[in-house]
Amino acid sequence: MDVKRFGITAIDEPDGGLVAALINHEWFGDNYATGPEPGGDPDRHGPYWRERITPDCYDPIDPELAERRLRFWSEQFAPVPEHLTAELRQEVYQPLRAADGIYLLRDIGPDAFHDWGGVHNEFHEFLLVDRTNQTVVQIVAADD
């Protein structure tokens, strides 16, 4: 899992505006397959061409369902070691519970895939809007 935190300076901005700002942020360009450099692939985002992703591609999701999806993804092949469980609890599950709004990037289809966009076996992205802590947290669970 990859977790990125972004500060909110305009806390009165509607969630859609915050999502749009995130999509336009230089760190959003990340294919999650070729390396750890945020912003290192400005034209791609996960399996998709970045230009194909809009705020309308994100659907609200219940925090319990989001957590179940992430737990299933992380535990699908073997139990998560205890030291990683504690890190996931702090970095992923607690922020999920604290968020005012949680959004899931839905599958926008193979027409939006970039030139090698089918490399991910799974790609799950959640955006957490937390106005109390003035952050948007981006959580990506992906494998290739």
Side-chain angles (χ1 to χ4, degrees), residues 11 31 37 74 76 89 91 104 109 122 134 140:
I11 57 173
N31 60 51
E37 286 297 314
S74 65
Q76 64 185 313
R89 187 177 311 113
E91 298 296 321
L104 171 66
E122 291 188 45
Q134 297 182 330
V140 172

Side-chain angles (χ1 to χ4, degrees), residues 5-144:
R5 285 181 172 69
F6 301 86
I8 298 173
T9 56
I11 57 173
D12 293 337
E13 181 75 30
D15 288 2
L18 295 173
V19 172
L22 177 65
I23 291 169
N24 290 319
H25 193 281
E26 65 182 318
W27 284 8
F28 192 77
D30 191 335
N31 60 51
Y32 298 94
T34 61
E37 286 297 314
D41 193 348
D43 296 327
R44 294 176 182 85
H45 182 77
Y48 305 115
W49 288 113
R50 182 179 182 170
E51 67 186 17
R52 303 281 179 94
I53 300 173
T54 68
D56 291 336
C57 296
Y58 290 86
D59 295 324
I61 186 170
D62 179 77
E64 289 80 18
L65 179 57
E67 184 172 337
R68 280 196 306 271
R69 284 185 177 204
L70 287 167
R71 284 185 187 276
F72 179 80
W73 179 85
S74 65
E75 299 169 356
Q76 64 185 313
F77 300 114
V80 175
E82 184 54 41
H83 71 282
L84 292 178
T85 299
E87 190 171 341
L88 287 173
R89 187 177 311 113
Q90 179 179 337
E91 298 296 321
V92 175
Y93 304 131
Q94 287 176 353
L96 271 171
R97 291 185 202 112
D100 300 301
I102 303 171
Y103 300 90
L104 171 66
L105 176 63
R106 71 175 166 279
D107 179 351
I108 58 174
D111 289 342
F113 279 178
H114 57 69
D115 46 348
W116 50 270
V119 70
H120 292 288
N121 294 323
E122 291 188 45
F123 184 84
H124 308 279
E125 178 180 348
F126 299 87
L127 301 180
L128 287 53
V129 175
D130 183 344
R131 293 181 187 284
T132 302
N133 291 308
Q134 297 182 330
T135 59
V136 173
V137 178
Q138 179 188 39
I139 300 170
V140 172
D143 47 26
D144 56 11

